[in-house]
Amino acid sequence: MYDRNLPLLCLTFARQISARELLERMGVDQSTVAVRGPDDFHDELGDLLDSDGGYVVSAGHYGSWAWAWEHGSWKCVEDRGLVLRASIGTAALVLHANEKPGEVFWYAEDGRLITGLYTTTGLASANRTGSDPHRFDTEMQALGARLEEDEYDPLGDGPLGVLGMFYRLAENLGVGLPLDDLNNRPVLSGRLLPPAAR
């Protein structure tokens, strides 16, 4: 994922479960779930991609991880329990990036948030949460983060930038996105129920 110039994103990953099960844990509208090729995806769901209430999602697999990409919605961060539900009996990860609120990295295992990082000002001043909020500090320092200083610039003056750091942490866990799945191959897709509907 690193250095791929991905757009603003809202991604959820879960290890060793199917893409369909991940969507179910995220609260998908079962009547909308289908395997769609790129043309069918745009024909059936394209009008909803830019809609605030569209909650369009596509899903697939990369290695031992299922992934779900939200197209235009932010349920993975609007619904704080989503990463916990996705992690029951396994591990789950949420990556989110936008100009506001910023970058989010939440890692959970078996229904508990282990490490949560949320930042708009740099890693040194990141809001941390979870039962082990410093779990990935050694990996971040190995990637060039200066966690003891407040000089790490999320806009890119540091070696990776905050989002790049989060991508690298995710990749170190075995997470990824097959580029062909996003653009060329049929994948599972549908619509998530809005957080208030659960």
Side-chain angles (χ1 to χ4, degrees):
M1 294 181 298
Y2 177 74
D3 207 23
R4 285 287 186 182
N5 196 25
L6 294 173
L8 304 178
L9 54 89
C10 211
L11 293 166
T12 302
F13 300 90
R15 189 171 52 211
Q16 298 176 333
I17 64 172
S18 70
R20 182 174 292 273
E21 185 173 354
L22 176 57
L23 291 181
E24 290 170 0
R25 291 180 183 201
M26 292 176 70
V28 73
D29 178 345
Q30 295 286 349
S31 68
T32 66
V33 177
V35 175
R36 296 177 176 91
D39 292 338
D40 289 338
F41 177 83
H42 285 286
D43 288 347
E44 295 175 35
L45 301 171
D47 291 343
L48 300 169
L49 293 179
D50 295 322
S51 168
D52 286 342
Y55 286 95
V56 175
V57 66
S58 57
H61 290 94
Y62 182 87
S64 63
W65 291 81
W67 58 264
W69 181 301
E70 293 184 55
H71 303 268
S73 63
W74 300 358
K75 185 171 181 180
C76 69
V77 290
E78 290 173 339
D79 178 355
R80 294 286 303 258
L82 187 148
V83 72
L84 305 180
R85 292 190 305 276
S87 74
I88 293 172
T90 187
L93 173 69
V94 162
L95 290 175
H96 173 76
N98 199 338
E99 292 94 355
K100 188 177 182 180
E103 293 89 4
V104 171
F105 176 100
W106 289 334
Y107 176 76
E109 292 177 347
D110 201 20
R112 294 180 305 117
L113 184 64
I114 304 300
T115 302
L117 298 171
Y118 166 93
T119 181
T120 57
T121 58
L123 288 172
S125 59
N127 293 316
R128 294 172 178 265
T129 189
S131 62
D132 188 1
H134 296 278
R135 179 170 185 164
F136 297 101
D137 284 7
T138 300
E139 291 92 336
M140 288 191 288
Q141 288 171 332
L143 292 168
R146 298 178 301 276
L147 301 176
E148 68 284 353
E149 304 172 12
D150 195 11
E151 298 175 6
Y152 198 84
D153 184 356
L155 300 177
D157 289 342
L160 299 178
V162 172
L163 186 55
M165 181 72 59
F166 290 172
Y167 284 154
R168 289 289 196 203
L169 291 175
E171 289 171 348
N172 289 346
L173 291 168
V175 166
L177 285 172
L179 194 55
D180 276 346
D181 283 3
L182 296 177
N183 299 315
N184 302 317
R185 293 188 190 125
V187 295
L188 204 59
S189 58
R191 294 182 68 192
L192 299 174
L193 298 169
R198 287 213 58 163

